[in-house]
Amino acid sequence: MRIGDLSAATGASTRSLRYYEEQGLLTSTRTSGGQRVYPAGAVERVSLIQSLLAAGLNSATIHDVLPCISDESLRTPWLAGRLRTELSRVETQIDNLSRTREILAGLVEQYRVS
């Protein structure tokens, strides 16, 4: 599957696919003309990468956990711990944003023109 086909199948831009490759999240081979060719499982892999990005994981964390998620035989308690750490990080961000929202809502109320 070529990069344009993978892009169409996943909704990921070709730029994103090249980035995933740069980060070691996705692999391809090259034709004699230098075009990228992705394996059959690439659509599923890109979908998984997109899900992990949507969950708030950065590409370095995804690089670390992707092998364990992709291959059940590699799953250890480390994976659950790493994902718990990420969940805790996101919960802290939510708490901080909630406090920021409360402060901003107070300011809106305080400076509202009647």
Side-chain angles (χ1 to χ4, degrees):
M1 173 179 303
R2 295 182 192 243
I3 194 167
D5 298 327
L6 184 57
S7 175
T10 61
S13 68
T14 55
R15 183 176 180 184
S16 292
L17 296 173
R18 286 189 293 270
Y19 175 76
Y20 299 161
E21 235 182 296
E22 284 176 17
Q23 298 302 306
L25 307 177
L26 186 64
T27 59
S28 70
T29 57
R30 298 287 182 133
T31 65
S32 59
Q35 293 182 332
R36 289 175 167 87
V37 178
Y38 295 93
V43 171
E44 184 178 321
R45 180 112 173 158
V46 170
S47 294
L48 178 55
I49 293 166
Q50 290 173 320
S51 293
L52 294 170
L53 287 168
L57 278 63
N58 62 38
S59 59
T61 300
I62 294 171
H63 183 271
D64 291 345
V65 301
L66 199 54
C68 302
I69 291 173
S70 299
D71 183 349
E72 201 170 317
S73 70
L74 298 176
R75 291 184 191 161
T76 66
W78 173 87
L79 175 61
R82 182 69 186 264
L83 293 175
R84 263 194 299 285
T85 297
E86 290 301 313
L87 178 59
S88 177
R89 179 186 58 79
V90 169
E91 288 172 339
T92 298
Q93 289 176 330
I94 290 169
D95 291 344
N96 290 338
L97 282 172
S98 292
R99 279 192 293 280
T100 299
R101 183 187 176 281
E102 289 172 14
I103 293 168
L104 185 55
L107 290 171
V108 166
E109 191 61 33
Q110 181 178 349
Y111 297 112
R112 181 175 54 159
V113 177
S114 301

